[in-house]
């Protein structure tokens, strides 16, 4: 989930949103409604079931191949943190073998 401001800046690394800049507000609205029902009634109505959304694929986006050399595996550590303590203001950097996020087996991309 992202805030409207994060969405506007496209500053939501490590996060995703399928429903645009109002996704967080919509979730908050529904949670408030659900909590209100839970406080006043013993049985909460379920309402409509959510529709499963599939992300739209852009045909023009070129996604790099995720093929690895035989000796490597996804999740392998390429650069570990330095040994010893990390002091305030110092960066601790770890790099690991990952895949392109748009290569999703569930959508055959």
């Amino acid at each position: 989930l992202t805030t409207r401001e994060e969405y506007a800046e496209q500053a939501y690394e490590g996060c995703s949103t399928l429903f645009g800049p109002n996704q967080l507000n919509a979730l908050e609205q529904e949670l408030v409604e659900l909590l209100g029902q839970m406080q006043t009634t013993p049985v909460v109505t379920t309402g409509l079931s959510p529709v499963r959304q599939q992300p739209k694929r852009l045909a023009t986006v070129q996604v790099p191949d995720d093929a690895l050399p035989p000796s490597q595996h996804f999740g392998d550590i390429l650069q570990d943190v330095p040994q010893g303590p990390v002091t305030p203001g110092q960066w601790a950097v770890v790099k690991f073998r990952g895949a392109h996020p748009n290569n999703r087996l569930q959508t055959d991309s």
Side-chain angles (χ1 to χ4, degrees):
L1 295 171
T2 69
T3 65
R4 190 169 193 62
E5 294 78 15
E6 289 170 329
Y7 188 88
E9 292 179 15
Q10 297 292 296
Y12 47 95
E13 296 85 4
C15 187
S16 66
T17 175
L18 295 176
F19 303 105
N22 296 314
Q23 182 174 354
L24 179 60
N25 293 339
L27 177 64
E28 289 174 346
Q29 171 188 309
E30 294 306 306
L31 286 175
V32 167
E33 174 69 24
L34 178 61
L35 291 173
Q37 286 185 30
M38 291 170 67
Q39 288 177 335
T40 59
T41 59
V43 178
V44 176
T45 59
T46 59
L48 299 174
S49 296
V51 176
R52 183 175 169 91
Q53 298 286 334
Q54 291 294 328
K56 294 180 179 153
R57 294 177 52 187
L58 302 175
T60 58
V61 175
Q62 295 294 323
V63 178
D65 185 26
D66 286 332
L68 294 175
S71 62
Q72 294 185 6
H73 300 90
F74 292 113
D76 285 352
I77 297 173
L78 302 177
Q79 176 185 339
D80 207 346
V81 291
Q83 296 299 317
V86 177
T87 59
Q90 183 182 12
W91 287 82
V93 177
V94 176
K95 293 183 181 180
F96 59 94
R97 176 65 63 202
H100 193 284
N102 286 343
N103 281 340
R104 297 182 57 210
L105 295 175
Q106 295 89 353
T107 58
D108 294 330
S109 61

